[in-house]
Amino acid sequence: ILNVEQSPQSLHVQEGDSTNFTCSFPSSNFYALHWYRWETAKSPEALFVMTLNGDEKKKGRISATLNTKEGYSYLYIKGSQPEDSATYLCAFPTDSWGKLQFGAGTQVVVTP
Amino acid sequence: DGGITQSPKYLFRKEGQNVTLSCEQNLNHDAMYWYRQDPGQGLRLIYYSQIVNDFQKGDIAEGYSVSREKKESFPLTVTSAQKNPTAFYLCASSWASGHNEQFFGPGTRLTVL
């Protein structure tokens, strides 16, 4: 089983502050890197699928970067809002068909 | 509305009984997946299927069985051989490629008494 590590395990952020957290993954046999957001009482929902070294993706106030050579991705939340409270999961395909290895997630709590 | 449905939302069973969790998708996806979530752990893959009538074991397949007789359906049976079946189970589907996002159902929480 290949290891996908996320840090920190949890974050408490004041509303309006920006934050970021990390996903590290094996740098060999890279296919893609997935980010999902999982809000309480909802299903996990895809944020980004990143495939190229140096890729940067953005969705609203959330953005992500990718470094495939060193095996890490950062997720940034700019100007955090309470609705950003969720667990953010990254996942790494271990084969070309999409078998994903998930990290344990970073739980983000944004307080007003 | 396209999506993935799982039923039931909550399931209680006595120890030693087999139980089947339902997963249906109308997204016309080739691939379907079953994950298990336990507190403090990431999603762990139980079984996955890339095409009808074919499926592969994931990382924690022991004590589980699946079938894929129709493209839309991928039921998971938790057998009495599964030593610790109480968990939250998520089903997902996607186009069969590591480049494609997975779409998740709402999950089933199984409690074995």
Side-chain angles (χ1 to χ4, degrees):
Chain A
I1 298 177
L2 301 174
N3 282 332
V4 180
E5 305 281 348
Q6 291 189 248
S7 64
Q9 188 174 2
S10 64
L11 276 175
H12 284 77
V13 186
Q14 282 292 119
E15 183 177 356
D17 287 350
S18 297
T19 189
N20 65 85
F21 38 93
T22 309
C23 172
S24 62
F25 53 87
S27 55
S28 58
N29 296 324
F30 180 81
Y31 295 106
L33 194 282
H34 296 219
W35 281 102
Y36 293 84
R37 175 168 57 196
W38 193 359
E39 297 177 69
T40 302
K42 294 187 177 180
S43 307
E45 188 176 53
L47 286 170
F48 309 114
V49 178
M50 309 176 77
T51 57
L52 298 174
N53 185 43
D55 217 0
E56 291 188 30
K57 296 219 173 188
K58 188 175 179 182
K59 182 181 282 190
R61 291 175 292 95
I62 300 177
S63 60
T65 61
L66 179 67
N67 184 323
T68 61
K69 294 183 178 179
E70 295 183 37
Y72 64 84
S73 176
Y74 291 127
L75 195 88
Y76 300 88
I77 304 176
K78 184 178 177 182
S80 304
Q81 298 297 308
E83 58 265 31
D84 296 326
S85 296
T87 296
Y88 291 82
L89 302 171
C90 71
F92 178 78
T94 58
D95 63 26
S96 60
W97 288 99
K99 179 183 173 186
L100 291 180
Q101 189 76 37
F102 278 86
T106 293
Q107 183 182 24
V108 175
V109 177
V110 182
T111 50
Chain B
D1 275 343
I4 301 178
T5 56
Q6 290 184 244
S7 61
K9 189 172 181 179
Y10 298 98
L11 191 55
F12 296 88
R13 279 294 181 269
K14 291 183 179 178
E15 195 170 336
Q17 288 183 331
N18 291 357
V19 61
T20 297
L21 281 58
S22 167
C23 177
E24 304 275 331
Q25 55 99 0
N26 61 4
L27 300 168
N28 201 33
H29 286 159
D30 302 305
M32 296 187 74
Y33 312 84
W34 273 106
Y35 295 95
R36 169 181 171 139
Q37 199 233 358
D38 294 284
Q41 296 197 42
L43 300 178
R44 292 185 292 166
L45 184 65
I46 305 172
Y47 267 98
Y48 64 111
S49 168
Q50 293 153 357
I51 54 172
V52 175
N53 292 322
D54 187 46
F55 47 82
Q56 288 80 39
K57 293 181 180 180
D59 299 320
I60 55 165
E62 186 175 350
Y64 299 97
S65 65
V66 293
S67 62
R68 186 88 185 276
E69 297 177 2
K70 298 186 297 181
K71 190 175 187 178
E72 306 80 30
S73 179
F74 191 40
L76 174 75
T77 297
V78 185
T79 75
S80 56
Q82 168 49 233
K83 293 177 184 175
N84 187 18
T86 295
F88 187 68
Y89 292 87
L90 274 171
C91 178
S93 71
S94 73
W95 299 112
S97 162
H99 292 186
N100 292 312
E101 65 185 274
Q102 293 187 8
F103 292 79
F104 287 84
T108 293
R109 184 164 298 281
L110 172 65
T111 302
V112 175
L113 305 171

